[in-house]
Amino acid sequence: MDSLTPSRRFSRRDFVQTAVGSGFAAAVLPVSAQTIITDTEGLTAGPVTVPVGDFKMPAYRAQPMGKTHLPVVLVVSEVFGVHEHIADMARRFAKQGYLAIAPELFVRQGDAKAPVEISKLLSEIIDKVPDEQVMRDLDASVAWAKGNGGDTSRLGITGFCWGGRITWLFDAHNPSVKAAVAWYGRLVGDSTPLTPKNPVDLAGQLHGPVLGLYGGADQGIPPDTIEKMKAALANGSAAAKKSEFVVYPDTPHAFNADYRPSYRKQAAEDGWKRCLAWFKANGVA
């Protein structure tokens, strides 16, 4: 991977910050010494504000400095919000020539960095976020990118864990999506008023082919759910039929999260290469 170097070890005080794209959530501290930091040389990178109706949504944007007509990638976070790792993923895409934007999708419900316990983070913030709101916020992020140097006729989306599920949903929601890469996103689940559909329900509506990157030892996403999704895709849209899965044997959930013990360098680097190749092969480059 280009321009990636190991970080020093940071303290809790260093990382619990409020600015979008900086710090890490309290629930994931301490941060691993192997955390990757991508520099901003040659990039325009940092927090921006995306209008969603009357609401001003914070986001992190990274793109090659001084360039326009750039392919666009939406980067959708895990439950911990747009912290340093998600900003780093945006910078990695920018180094490859993309306008990458990572919107702070939980901000109306609360600060995902604040709760120390994951159970409280989920119950008090994440579980209160409606899919409909997320789709609207991502649509607004696409519009922002179009007005700020992005070529949204070359639109991709990628997301991690919670964001992996959202990646499938947004691909089915927005006809402008040319391709998507979902990292270990949940595929099945209960239908609730806030989450009425899951990826397995929407295979027939995909607009761009999805590459699913999953861990074979992921305790939260059993192999049978991947098989259910494969069957749904086989009977779905043309984009669904082009979709593919890569399952890394003996690999846990969150294997791309280099700031956590779940990180698996070989799978993460292979997934990154496959992600870039998938976008290029499907018109997002």
Side-chain angles (χ1 to χ4, degrees):
M1 287 182 273
D2 294 344
S3 304
L4 306 186
T5 57
S7 77
R8 61 184 175 90
R9 185 175 291 278
F10 292 86
S11 71
R12 179 179 294 271
R13 186 169 144 184
D14 287 330
F15 271 98
V16 180
Q17 303 173 29
T18 56
V20 64
S22 65
F24 284 89
V28 301
L29 297 176
V31 172
S32 171
Q34 66 196 354
T35 305
I36 293 168
I37 301 294
T38 303
D39 64 53
T40 58
E41 184 177 355
L43 304 180
T44 298
V48 296
T49 299
V50 174
V52 187
D54 294 332
F55 182 71
K56 305 300 182 186
M57 179 177 61
Y60 185 90
R61 172 273 311 266
Q63 66 189 83
M65 188 179 295
K67 295 186 178 180
T68 58
H69 305 294
L70 299 165
V72 175
V73 174
L74 300 174
V75 181
V76 189
S77 74
E78 322 113 315
V79 295
F80 308 115
V82 183
H83 56 71
E84 181 59 39
H85 173 65
I86 298 302
D88 200 88
M89 292 305 303
R91 293 193 295 271
R92 295 179 208 183
F93 279 110
K95 292 280 187 176
Q96 299 292 327
Y98 290 92
L99 188 165
I101 183 165
E104 192 69 274
L105 298 168
F106 313 133
V107 68
R108 293 177 187 79
Q109 281 69 35
D111 179 4
K113 293 180 185 177
V116 174
E117 297 176 9
I118 291 181
S119 60
K120 285 190 175 182
L121 168 62
L122 295 176
S123 64
E124 295 177 4
I125 298 176
I126 307 304
D127 291 347
K128 297 179 179 179
V129 179
D131 286 345
E132 182 182 6
Q133 171 187 295
V134 175
M135 297 300 106
R136 186 168 62 250
D137 288 349
L138 290 171
D139 285 338
S141 300
V142 174
W144 186 94
K146 185 174 183 179
N148 289 273
D151 175 6
T152 54
S153 70
R154 296 180 288 160
L155 175 65
I157 181 171
T158 192
F160 307 87
C161 186
W162 181 92
R165 173 181 173 273
I166 292 299
T167 294
W168 290 98
L169 299 190
F170 189 71
D171 188 300
H173 164 78
N174 191 312
S176 296
V177 174
K178 292 292 188 294
V181 179
W183 301 71
Y184 35 84
R186 183 166 54 85
L187 301 166
V188 304
D190 295 332
S191 176
T192 73
L194 297 186
T195 60
K197 299 286 186 180
N198 284 288
V200 73
D201 305 315
L202 297 170
Q205 301 172 40
L206 294 180
H207 294 100
V210 181
L211 173 63
L213 300 172
Y214 287 75
D218 190 329
Q219 298 300 308
I221 304 176
D224 68 298
T225 67
I226 293 177
E227 294 307 313
K228 287 178 183 177
M229 189 64 186
K230 287 181 178 178
L233 292 169
N235 294 306
S237 63
K241 290 181 172 67
K242 285 182 64 179
S243 298
E244 297 178 8
F245 277 89
V246 175
V247 179
Y248 296 97
D250 304 316
T251 301
H253 188 74
F255 60 82
N256 189 64
D258 53 59
Y259 62 99
R260 296 166 66 187
S262 58
Y263 178 58
R264 297 295 183 270
K265 185 175 187 291
Q266 186 174 354
E269 291 184 351
D270 183 75
W272 174 245
K273 290 174 184 175
R274 290 178 183 271
C275 174
L276 293 177
W278 188 260
F279 282 147
K280 185 175 182 179
N282 290 286
V284 187

